[in-house]
Amino acid sequence: MKLRNRNIEKLPTETFDALIIGGGINGAATAAALAGKGAKVALIDRGDFAGSTSMHSSNLVWGGIKYMESKDFALVRKLCKSRNHLIKSYPSTVQEIRFLTTISKGFRHSPRYLWAGTWLYWLMGNGFTKLPRLLSPNKIKQQEPIIDIEDAVGGFEYSDAYLHDNDARFVFNFVRHALNYGAIAANYVESLGAERVGDLWVTKAHNVMDGSTFDIHAKVLINAAGPWVDQHNELTGQKTTHHHLYSKGIHLIVPQLTDSQRVLAFFADDGRLFFVIPMGNRTCIGTTDTHMEHPEVDVTADDIAFVLENINKRLTLDQPLTQDDIISTRCGVRPLAIKDDQGSDRDFLQLSRKHVVDTNIESAHISIFGGKLTDCLNVGDEIAEDISRLGVSLSDPNFRWYGEPAKPVKQQFMDQAKRMNLDAMTASTSSELLSSRLWRRYADQAIPMLEKIRQDPAQGEILIEGTEYIRCEIEHARDHEMITQLEDFLRRRAKVSLVVPHEQLRHSTGLKEACRVLFGDDAENRFSQYFEQNRDTALPPTSTAV
């Protein structure tokens, strides 16, 4: 909270080159890019960073193989290159993973035809990943015994990538980069609208936590509000060439279905790709695609029934999955960019997730439509180019603002971890070695953690039962990660509430202690508030799951 409070004090006292509204993947990447290249940047979000679409993804970083069918090859090529670039830039976080796709009888294309498409996909990605394979039904069963091959006519295996950690964590690390480069960022600060006064934008900001309001002055206003871009443009009187359509998608988190560490892909009853995705010792299944009129959405009983029905049809589990197996849900909208002259009656299933940057030179206003995790580095660089055209001077325009620290820094961390035998402290329930996990999550910021553990081994002990989070991580989150509500930690900086049953958390003595670390004297109130609101885990009223 101290970091957030210090930043809020600075917001009304300075004039910024750019104010970014929205801390999802587009806003976070933009903040890191601009601050890294030398701009004076402010970033605000009315909720927590990555608090909407960016925390409800499939955790996949992929080149858009589904756009091959619509022959949008230019987009596929761009996304494949972006995927490759992310894998190279974040090797500890963005990692290649195999997708095993099963084709059923009566599908619109044969397995061989689709397999040929994966070769074209591989070539469009510069042959960066492992080669595709054609699979017979029997071979599929050998590879993944839980797949039901009774109606299968074959399948194929190819590579894309996924986030080893959760999507919201990936987004926050861009915010962290921006802060390191000198940006001023604050969550739970809402824009009530802005107007152009002379050469500056004056934005009326509302501190959601205490109700206070203040003005923020900036030369350029960047609307990165995700699904709410159109609504904020109405507040500022901006006319744009694009607007959003909304597609709701949900995922269910269930106990681990397979430990093969590959994605199982099927075509659901509605024709869309449907995934079984590894998530540590859990499995993420989905997704749905439902046209919505607005971005505020919830999981419905029909959504859950669709996912459970489709997964049970395609797997031979000892017992079919039911609502009682659901640990948590993810539910958000995909904001799909569409030109104004195309209307809103297009088939949204055929719309891509491409991003569009709409720049108004006259008013020094930029809107970012659409987008996805895979394309985030392109978004940052494109906004940096546009802001230069709006008269903002970047002192270091060629600065590489993204990526993990250089290999010697990682080697320094690993050598120090080895000398203190850190990996011997890895809990038996952990899915990876402690040194690997700390580096992946915190990079060079994990180096001070080693010294804390060396001085006090208790700092390396797991604090919250059923998780992998150790005491010094909680202290780091308190001091450096702007934890404002308990949900910020449980759901976004970490993925605790996704993988640990709600009732288990409610009775966790370790979580209560973590609250004391995070919130001090206000710990009991924050703990009670979180469970009263019962966010992230709530299922429709018909559910009997915890």
Side-chain angles (χ1 to χ4, degrees), residues 20 75 107 176 283 357 374 397 407 426 466 468 470 476 510 516:
I20 302 165
L75 178 61
F107 188 66
R176 186 70 253 173
T283 295
V357 176
T374 310
K407 289 182 180 179
T426 304
E468 300 182 29
I470 58 177
H476 177 88
R516 289 191 287 273

Side-chain angles (χ1 to χ4, degrees), residues 206 223 268:
H206 169 235
N223 182 357

Side-chain angles (χ1 to χ4, degrees), residues 351-370:
L351 294 175
S352 74
R353 298 288 303 281
K354 66 182 179 182
H355 73 269
V356 176
V357 176
D358 192 312
T359 301
N360 186 325
I361 296 177
E362 184 177 341
S363 64
H365 185 280
I366 299 174
S367 301
I368 309 173
F369 293 91

Side-chain angles (χ1 to χ4, degrees), residues 67-84:
Y67 305 135
M68 298 282 288
E69 188 172 13
S70 58
K71 298 182 173 58
D72 198 348
F73 298 127
L75 178 61
V76 173
R77 169 73 171 158
K78 182 180 181 182
L79 291 176
C80 281
K81 291 170 66 177
S82 299
R83 174 205 64 196
N84 298 350

Side-chain angles (χ1 to χ4, degrees), residues 395-442:
S395 59
D396 194 356
N398 297 318
F399 180 75
R400 189 177 188 272
W401 52 274
Y402 51 83
E404 293 182 17
K407 289 182 180 179
V409 180
K410 181 177 182 179
Q411 194 58 52
Q412 174 193 351
F413 170 82
M414 289 300 178
D415 288 345
Q416 188 172 338
K418 185 176 181 180
R419 284 194 297 270
M420 58 189 289
N421 201 20
L422 180 72
D423 287 340
M425 301 177 68
T426 304
S428 59
T429 54
S430 294
S431 59
E432 60 184 320
L433 293 174
L434 185 54
S435 61
S436 297
R437 195 175 70 79
L438 291 181
W439 175 261
R440 176 173 51 74
R441 288 180 59 80
Y442 308 102

